[in-house]
Amino acid sequence: MSRSEEQGEVQAGGSLAHRVPDLGGLELLLAVARLGSLGGAARELGITQPAASSRIRSMERQLGVALVDRSPRGSRLTDAGALVTDWARRIVEAAEAFDVGAQALRDRRDSRLRVAASMTIAEYLLPGWLLALRAQRPDTAVSLHAGNSTVVAERLLADEADLGFVEGLTVPTGLDSVVIAHDRLIVVTAPAHPWARRRRSLAAEELASTPLILREKGSGTRQVLDAALGGLARPLIELSSTTAVKAAAVSGAGPAVLSELAVGEELAMRRLVRVPVEGIALARDLRAVWPTGHRPTGPARDLLSLTRG
């Protein structure tokens, strides 16, 4: 076998991407055929004439045939160029159909957004973010499922949500995350409670030994408190929402541990009193989460960018 035959076999092998001109080159060839001018085709496609000439030469080398005869009177297709142009037209038409189908998929994706969020974020942060998203994407229908951090992870992993938000100390298995905000848990009680008149800070031991109004296990708030107290938090009542915990504390049922985000109004109105605590870490990160390897796209990506603005 001759060297040229060997080279021909090498050129004939490999992937289609190495043997077939790209769409840009095929569109250029179609424009030359339609306009009879390489310069006119270049202007129509928004490229320079030298770039158009270079692209035609590259296709000719790739295919091994001359495609365009250039002269002062214009550019005309060779016989091989005319045949290639017929094939190119079918490829470009198929690509246009592909693009229409892909756009339909994007439109369907962008028509809805399913969000799952733990309670504090759902009640105190998400409403503002969703209002801002609506201004950007008025045609996107948003559904929100509020639950604890465990439920948020379950919905994401079951493909029942496009983006989630959690408040715990760790990222649930199978999810990627980014920190979007910071929060702190505080101890609060009704003004009539003895702790409301304390002059000394609560020690961790006293907090751990006192029955508290708490969120349920699995919530981010409970995870942070249990970690801070070594799992020793004693529930007086366990409730499944921040609003319910807050209402119970306001009623005088007992002390509660709540997000600082959730009690600003109650503290300002003196319906609740903040109790100082020492010796325990109650800070936490608030995170956006999504299934590992599936970075948010479309409305989910836009919502994520709003949370970090």
Side-chain angles (χ1 to χ4, degrees):
M1 183 181 294
S2 70
R3 183 175 182 84
S4 61
E5 288 173 331
E6 289 176 351
Q7 289 175 337
E9 286 198 356
V10 170
Q11 291 171 352
S15 69
L16 280 174
H18 292 96
R19 304 198 310 271
V20 177
D22 61 29
L23 281 174
L26 298 180
E27 287 181 311
L28 175 62
L29 188 62
L30 289 173
V32 172
R34 187 174 65 256
L35 300 172
S37 164
L38 187 62
R43 286 191 296 274
E44 181 174 274
L45 296 179
I47 60 177
T48 64
Q49 184 163 339
S53 296
S54 176
R55 187 170 291 181
I56 292 293
R57 287 195 299 271
S58 176
M59 282 196 296
E60 290 175 332
R61 287 195 301 271
Q62 187 176 23
L63 296 174
V65 295
L67 300 174
V68 177
D69 281 334
R70 305 161 186 83
S71 73
R73 295 185 301 276
S75 300
R76 116 184 134 73
L77 299 180
T78 65
D79 290 343
L83 185 58
V84 170
T85 298
D86 286 338
W87 298 336
R89 187 172 291 108
R90 280 177 269 170
I91 293 173
V92 170
E93 288 172 352
E96 289 171 345
F98 181 94
D99 181 53
V100 169
Q103 183 60 51
L105 289 176
R106 289 191 294 271
D107 290 344
R108 186 172 69 180
R109 177 204 65 191
D110 293 353
S111 68
R112 67 170 187 175
L113 173 61
R114 302 166 300 166
V115 180
S118 50
M119 299 302 297
T120 300
I121 296 175
E123 292 177 310
Y124 300 100
L125 293 176
L126 259 172
W129 297 336
L130 293 179
L131 281 174
L133 180 68
R134 183 168 181 78
Q136 290 185 7
R137 289 181 171 269
D139 296 328
T140 298
V142 179
S143 62
L144 170 62
H145 181 90
N148 63 38
S149 296
T150 300
V151 170
V152 170
E154 290 171 352
R155 292 186 73 86
L156 284 166
L157 294 173
D159 194 27
E160 295 173 353
D162 304 305
L163 184 64
F165 297 94
V166 296
E167 307 158 7
L169 290 173
T170 59
V171 179
T173 302
L175 301 182
D176 288 337
S177 74
V178 64
V179 174
I180 56 168
H182 304 282
D183 186 26
R184 181 178 300 278
L185 300 183
I186 61 174
V187 179
V188 294
T189 190
H193 191 278
W195 281 4
R197 298 182 293 277
R198 289 181 66 102
R199 295 187 177 179
R200 291 183 297 106
S201 297
L202 271 176
E205 295 78 9
E206 187 174 1
L207 185 62
S209 64
T210 302
L212 303 169
I213 305 168
L214 298 175
R215 284 289 308 280
E216 80 286 5
K217 284 189 176 295
S219 70
T221 299
R222 184 67 175 270
Q223 289 175 17
V224 173
L225 182 63
D226 282 346
L229 297 179
L232 300 177
R234 295 179 56 194
L236 172 66
I237 314 170
E238 288 184 324
L239 298 169
S240 60
S241 78
T242 299
T243 299
V245 173
K246 185 166 57 174
V250 169
S251 73
V257 179
L258 285 165
S259 163
E260 202 168 29
L261 293 170
V263 294
E265 180 180 346
E266 287 73 19
L267 293 175
M269 301 294 292
R270 290 289 295 176
R271 292 197 294 269
L272 288 174
V273 176
R274 180 172 184 162
V275 181
V277 180
E278 63 181 8
I280 55 174
L282 294 176
R284 61 179 178 176
D285 294 328
L286 307 183
R287 297 176 178 271
V289 290
W290 57 87
T292 298
H294 297 275
R295 185 82 182 177
T297 60
R301 178 196 59 223
D302 291 348
L303 177 59
L304 178 59
S305 69
L306 288 170
T307 67
R308 306 175 72 187

